[in-house]
Amino acid sequence: MAAPKNAFKAALREGRFQLGLWAALGSPYAAEILSTSGYDWLLIDGEHGPNDMPMISAQIGALRHSPTHAMVRPPMGEAWLLKQLLDQGAQTFLIPMVESAEQAKALVRALRYPPHGIRGVGAGLGRASDFNRTPDYLATANDEICLIVQVESRAGFAAIDDIAAVEGVDGVFIGPSDLAADMGLLGDPGAPEVLATIGKIFERTKAHGKARGIMTVSLQQAEVYRDLGADFMAIGTDVNCLVSAVETLRRTFLGETVTEKRGGGY
Ligand SMILES: O=C(O)C(=O)C[C@H](O)[C@@H](O)CO
């Protein structure tokens, strides 16, 4: 018996668009509710959400037997952290602020067992191997890992061809908020200059045969990104869904109108 198949990675390889949602509440209960809400993937956010290792592990568990694939974003792409997340069963990783091919190559090695990488052998203790009940896990794990690197700065944009060319990088995800901030447009990811840069990053990513990802909380912006070529996209966050639903409920009852900031304003 082999490592679990990575349905998200397979879908990207087959060119099937994957719709996602951001999970930053840090709630396995919320993750379980979202796991059967029709999304192809759920990003468990350890960079901006209050998600520590036990919390992330519990959310991976909540998604485990659902049609929604767990994508995990650690605060940084550190090998020791990725090792723990891998053993907890994470197979798809979103790594923030990647700005060089060297950084991308180090991430690939951190996610693979020797001789192709440096991942420590300990999955027998974790969900990854179904708690040591997957005889062929070690031999099959590498192929089911999906690495998505975030390009979200001018430095990352400048290195996009080198980054996208790295063997083992499966996709490039643009963080529009951080990219806008680094471009001097803090809080305005919908600015024309940011959109133009996003288009160029997507174009170069596709040229290297890699998947293109992005996120927004604005459905209008989502259409723009889809037209730019996004292969996978998050169209909201659990936090935003909760806040906007509560606000909309109150405003609707009071007859108030709701306006949206350009680009979602994230
Ligand atoms: O820079 C970005 O935009 C992202 O990386 C996504 C955000 O971190 C996400 O938390 C929404 O704000």
Side-chain angles (χ1 to χ4, degrees):
M1 199 166 125
K5 285 297 174 198
N6 187 325
F8 176 80
K9 183 175 184 177
L12 293 187
R13 283 185 166 169
E14 293 161 15
R16 285 185 280 118
F17 179 76
Q18 297 290 284
L19 189 67
L21 198 75
W22 227 253
L25 282 171
S27 163
Y29 216 49
E32 189 174 346
I33 293 168
L34 296 172
S35 73
T36 53
S37 301
Y39 287 92
D40 300 303
W41 56 282
L42 191 71
L43 187 280
I44 302 168
D45 195 358
E47 182 186 14
H48 291 297
N51 281 306
D52 59 14
M53 186 58 63
M55 197 80 81
I56 292 173
S57 180
Q59 291 172 83
I60 292 171
L63 298 178
R64 188 181 185 196
H65 298 302
S66 82
T68 301
H69 186 75
M71 183 188 293
V72 177
R73 179 165 77 170
M76 290 296 285
E78 301 288 343
W80 63 271
L81 187 51
L82 296 176
K83 173 169 55 176
Q84 278 189 296
L85 291 169
L86 282 161
D87 290 345
Q88 295 313 309
Q91 291 181 296
T92 298
F93 295 85
L94 179 65
I95 309 296
M97 214 50 83
V98 175
E99 298 186 321
S100 71
E102 291 66 30
Q103 198 180 344
K105 289 173 184 172
L107 291 169
V108 172
R109 290 185 52 78
L111 294 171
R112 292 179 171 179
Y113 284 122
H116 307 291
I118 59 167
R119 180 185 175 186
V121 180
L125 296 175
R127 185 183 292 110
S129 67
D130 190 25
F131 308 101
N132 214 18
R133 292 173 291 201
T134 307
D136 300 328
Y137 178 77
L138 293 178
T140 56
N142 288 356
D143 288 345
E144 299 307 329
I145 299 302
C146 182
L147 170 60
I148 308 291
V149 296
Q150 282 198 247
V151 171
E152 47 188 347
S153 67
R154 289 165 297 170
F157 174 36
I160 183 61
D161 281 297
D162 295 337
I163 292 169
V166 171
E167 187 280 324
V169 168
D170 298 291
V172 172
F173 180 97
I174 298 172
S177 302
D178 280 324
L179 178 61
D182 188 63
M183 291 175 68
L185 294 158
L186 181 63
D188 193 6
E193 306 91 318
V194 179
L195 288 180
T197 302
I198 289 170
K200 290 171 187 164
I201 295 171
F202 272 2
E203 179 197 322
R204 300 312 306 149
T205 299
K206 183 173 175 63
H208 290 277
K210 304 297 174 72
R212 300 155 290 178
I214 197 161
M215 77 85 63
T216 181
V217 295
S218 156
L219 293 184
Q220 188 182 355
Q221 196 73 7
E223 294 295 340
V224 171
Y225 292 152
R226 190 80 176 99
D227 291 343
L228 283 175
D231 300 303
F232 62 103
M233 177 166 33
I235 57 169
T237 73
D238 52 0
V239 170
N240 204 57
C241 290
L242 192 58
V243 170
S244 56
V246 168
E247 283 185 353
T248 302
L249 198 63
R250 185 181 61 80
R251 288 175 173 167
T252 306
F253 183 71
L254 298 177
E256 298 170 5
T257 55
V258 182
T259 55
E260 180 180 278
K261 193 171 178 229
R262 179 170 74 171
Y266 246 62

